[in-house]
Each structure stands twice: as structure tokens, then as C-alpha cells.
Amino acid sequence: TPLPDSFARNLRHRVSYEGVVITDPDVRDANQRVEIRIESGEVATTMLAVAPRHPSVSVGDHIYVSGTLATPEPFSGENGRVFRYDKYLQRDGVRFLLNFAYLRVLQEAPWYSLPALLARIKHTFLDGLAATLPEPYASLAGGIVIGGKSGLGKELQNDFIRSGLVQIIVLSGYNVMIVAEWVMAALTLTKLSRRWSAAAGAFAILIFVGIAGASATALRAALMALIALYARASARTYAAGRALFLVVLLMLVWNPLYLVFGPGFGLSVVATAGLIWLAPIIESFLRIKSAFWKSAIATTLAAQVSVLPLLLYDTGNLSLVALPANLLTMTIVPFAMGFSALAGLAGVLFGMVAPMLGILLAFPAYLATKTLLFIAHESAALPFAAFTLPLFPFWLVLAAYAALIFFVSSKRFSTTLQLRFEKKASI
């Protein structure tokens, strides 16, 4: 769609507007990026203001903003890949940038604003972590629970990328999946009816996603979890593959730009598909006595194989230590999430009145996050741990996934024939 003319005529000029902050600001080391909904007459648009870290603003605040109006443009990275920054922002409705922006709060968010309430809960939790854990462990704990790389620093972020563990520090379907499993496990211990327990579980998942930030990957995982809860409440069979197809279809109907310009969404979908269809096949080839490690290796390998073609196309990052690093951390991350949640709660409850008690309760989170940092750093420091490959053509992505689909389909077909043959033989 064309840019609104009432705004486009002011491109490359210093402008000022009043608007409402619509998402939690992305606070970085040098600046903050704030999405603002602005109305000019009968026309409304969303702008991304790049401003100093102070003054801070919150979701729902009515603010005054001034800056140089621009449109986002594609740019080339160091490896020659072109990143369609314009389409990436347009996916979330952002059509303009306000560079060198100045912000001033005119009126704080009203008390009844749900997005503002969820944002306050998030920041209260992060403040609780800061009160009980030192850096960078507090930032890592926050990233594990609700996503976000702020505070980790560029070097540590690169360690997680090189080691293939970046999904730990961003809000992904993995976080939501763990929370959903906790919720469903807790509901089995209650005496609530199926419907009431499913409703309570759905409420908990939606609140978590709302607090953490409703990214496309989190929404995908949340919708699949909600379908699973519905199946549980109605005593129906939950077919994960069908649920994945339904959720992807619904999200693409809602926002088709997710298909091409939502790299996290695409990686989340193919990883989930790999866990559903490829992991059982890999597990059948493994000759490992331990059922736990057999399943762990199969699921980790399936996820890594499934995302590799798309990851190479999007970023060119090839981590040779991703498989062992993920195997080492997969049993730690759920505990790290739980301990970090306890540390944040302890900081909120005891940070002012009994700080030593809060620090004591946060000690397991400190050990868990320290272990994750150690694994990420040591894995990334290994010789030839990761490479950046040259441009990976899209036809190779299609060929790779066509080969994977053929492999999975042929194995499933042969397994079905074998089961039918064994059934007839038994008769």
C-alpha cells in the first residue's frame, strides 16, 4: 500500500507529533526504539522512533515526539545478504522511521490499560531479577524467561549465536512450549473439571505471551498449546501436525508478510515440523539403550536439520557445535526458567525488606545461568566452531526441504506398509 501522503510529504524533514506508545520499547545499549501510533487528521500510521535511552517511556503513554522523518530501507550485511528492513518493519505495521528522536511523556498510560499492566508486570519482574542476580546473569535470566538480549552485550550475544544457542535468549516457541507443558502438568494435579482446567491453562498461556511480548513465534506456539488444551477439554485426539498446519494458515491469513519477512516465524515452523515428523524417524535409527538420551538426541538433531537450510539462507550462520551444545543445555533450560522465575519473584517480594533472603532464593538461578553462559562461551571459543557461508540460493532451500519431505514421506509409507503386513501375518 502507498505511504500516507500527509506524512510522506515531510520525508527528510524535522517533524513533531503526538502519539501513543503501542509496544514495549526495545531498549539497547546506545538507544531505545519505540513504536508509536500517530494520527494526522483522519489518517493514522505507526512510526519507529530511534531515541536516547532517557527519558524512558512505557506502553500506553501519550507522548510528544520529534525527529527526522524517513522510510526504512533494505541494506546489505557484511556477507552480502540484503535484509529487507522495510518489509520486516511493515510486517508489524511500521511504515516510517523517526531518527535522532526526542521523546517527552505528556500523559502516562491509564490504569485500566491491559497492555500497560502487562508491561508493568514484565518490568517489575526484570527489576526483581536485577535485585537478586548480578550482571550478566540477571539479563540472561530475563532472556530465558521472557526473551530479550538487552544487557548481555555484543560479545555474549555472539557466543550464543556461534554456539547455536540463540533460541535460549530470545522469546521463541521453545519458551512458550515449556510454559505450556508446566501448565498442563500442573492442571493434572488439580481437581478442576476438564473445561475449567483447560480455561485456566489457556488464561495462563495468554498472560505469559502478553507479558513476554506477542512475537510471531510465541503466538504460533501459544495457538498450538491452546488447541492441545481444547483437545484435552473435549476429550479429542490432538494431532500436532494438523494443529501446526491450521495455526500457520490462520497466521498467514492474518498477516501474509510472516511467510517471507518473518525469519523467526519460519524457523519456528520448520523446527516444529521437524520435531513432529522427523524426530521419530531419527529415533528409530538410534541404537541407544537410554530412552531419555535417545529421545533427546533425536529431537535435537531433528530440529537442527530442519532449520539448517532456512538458517543458511537467512543468515549464512553454520554452527558446527550446535548439536552438542544444545544437547548439553536442553536439560538445563527448563530448570533455568523455573529458577529464574523464582529469582524474579524473590526480588519483587524481598528485594527491599529482606535482600539477603532474595539473593539466597536466587542462588539456583545463578548456578543455572552461569552454566549456560559457560557452555555458550566455551562452545563458541572452540576452533572452527562456526562459519559464515556465502549466499545460499533459495532454490537450494527448496531442494533441501523437498528432499526432507520425500525422505519423511517414504519412511512413513514404508512403516505403514510394514505395519499392515505384520497385522495380516498375525491374523
Side-chain angles (χ1 to χ4, degrees):
T1 58
L3 295 171
D5 184 64
S6 57
F7 294 100
R9 67 167 68 102
N10 294 317
L11 286 173
R12 294 177 296 279
H13 289 83
R14 190 78 183 178
V15 294
S16 59
Y17 301 105
E18 290 185 15
V20 178
V21 179
I22 59 174
T23 61
D24 197 36
D26 178 12
V27 181
R28 304 188 178 185
D29 293 337
N31 55 42
Q32 60 177 327
R33 296 166 183 250
V34 185
E35 288 187 23
I36 307 167
R37 187 68 174 171
I38 294 173
E39 295 184 4
S40 177
E42 297 182 354
V43 181
T45 191
T46 302
M47 298 184 182
L48 181 68
V50 183
R53 288 168 57 99
H54 300 285
S56 61
V57 297
S58 303
V59 177
D61 286 352
H62 184 74
I63 67 170
Y64 166 86
V65 57
S66 65
T68 303
L69 190 65
T71 54
E73 301 288 344
F75 60 86
S76 297
E78 296 179 357
N79 53 15
R81 286 173 170 80
V82 176
F83 179 56
R84 290 301 305 270
Y85 188 53
D86 53 339
K87 295 296 184 181
Y88 176 79
L89 292 181
Q90 188 179 341
R91 178 198 60 175
D92 296 325
V94 176
R95 306 300 304 276
F96 295 95
L97 294 175
L98 275 174
N99 294 318
F100 312 106
Y102 164 76
L103 307 174
R104 185 174 78 247
V105 177
L106 300 177
Q107 184 178 356
E108 293 185 352
W111 64 268
Y112 53 81
S113 171
L114 180 59
L117 174 62
L118 295 176
R120 283 195 291 270
I121 294 173
K122 172 184 175 179
H123 289 283
T124 300
F125 171 76
L126 293 176
D127 291 341
L129 286 174
T132 55
L133 291 172
E135 291 293 354
Y137 309 105
S139 293
L140 178 57
I144 292 171
V145 178
I146 56 177
K149 298 174 285 185
S150 177
L152 281 178
K154 196 67 176 178
E155 184 177 346
L156 285 178
Q157 290 181 35
N158 287 335
D159 285 346
F160 278 92
I161 293 172
R162 284 178 56 83
S163 60
L165 298 174
V166 70
Q167 74 278 0
I168 292 178
I169 58 173
V170 298
L171 181 63
S172 64
Y174 184 58
N175 306 66
V176 181
M177 180 183 69
I178 292 175
V179 172
E181 289 178 351
W182 285 348
V183 169
M184 287 187 263
L187 292 175
T188 59
L189 304 176
T190 66
K191 296 182 180 180
L192 295 173
S193 65
R194 284 182 175 178
R195 291 185 178 181
W196 280 108
S197 62
F203 178 77
I205 291 170
L206 290 174
I207 289 296
F208 171 75
V209 172
I211 292 173
S215 67
T217 56
L219 285 176
R220 193 275 311 158
L223 287 173
M224 290 191 68
L226 293 177
I227 293 174
L229 286 171
Y230 173 75
R232 182 174 182 267
S234 58
R236 297 182 181 181
T237 302
Y238 175 67
R242 293 180 182 178
L244 178 63
F245 277 124
L246 175 61
V247 168
V248 171
L249 177 62
L250 290 175
M251 293 190 67
L252 291 182
V253 168
W254 173 260
N255 191 341
L257 292 177
Y258 283 143
L259 181 62
V260 180
F261 303 108
F265 175 73
L267 291 171
S268 175
V269 169
V270 295
T272 305
L275 295 178
I276 295 171
W277 288 295
L278 185 59
I281 296 174
I282 295 176
E283 191 169 346
S284 67
F285 284 105
L286 298 177
R287 297 292 179 263
I288 300 175
K289 292 183 179 181
S290 171
F292 171 80
W293 284 111
K294 187 175 183 179
S295 175
I297 294 173
T299 54
T300 303
L301 187 58
Q304 295 295 320
V305 169
S306 299
V307 303
L308 184 59
L310 192 57
L311 189 65
L312 292 178
Y313 174 74
D314 286 336
T315 67
N317 292 329
L318 175 61
S319 175
L320 301 183
V321 297
L323 180 60
N326 277 274
L327 284 173
L328 288 172
T329 58
M330 67 174 300
T331 56
I332 302 173
V333 171
F335 291 102
M337 283 186 67
F339 292 146
S340 297
L342 175 62
L345 184 61
V348 172
L349 295 178
F350 307 113
M352 296 297 292
V353 295
M356 289 306 299
L357 178 58
I359 293 172
L360 181 63
L361 292 173
F363 187 68
Y366 170 78
L367 293 178
T369 52
K370 187 177 181 65
T371 303
L372 291 176
L373 283 173
F374 175 80
I375 294 173
H377 178 71
E378 295 301 321
S379 299
L382 291 173
F384 311 110
F387 297 91
T388 300
L389 299 183
L391 291 178
F392 194 79
F394 189 66
W395 69 265
L396 272 181
V397 178
L398 296 178
Y401 283 120
L404 276 175
I405 292 171
F406 176 78
F407 172 73
V408 171
S409 301
S410 61
K411 289 300 295 182
R412 286 170 62 87
F413 180 71
S414 62
T415 302
T416 302
L417 287 181
Q418 183 178 357
L419 290 175
R420 288 181 179 177
F421 176 79
E422 291 176 354
K423 183 177 180 181
K424 289 182 179 179
S426 63
I427 296 175

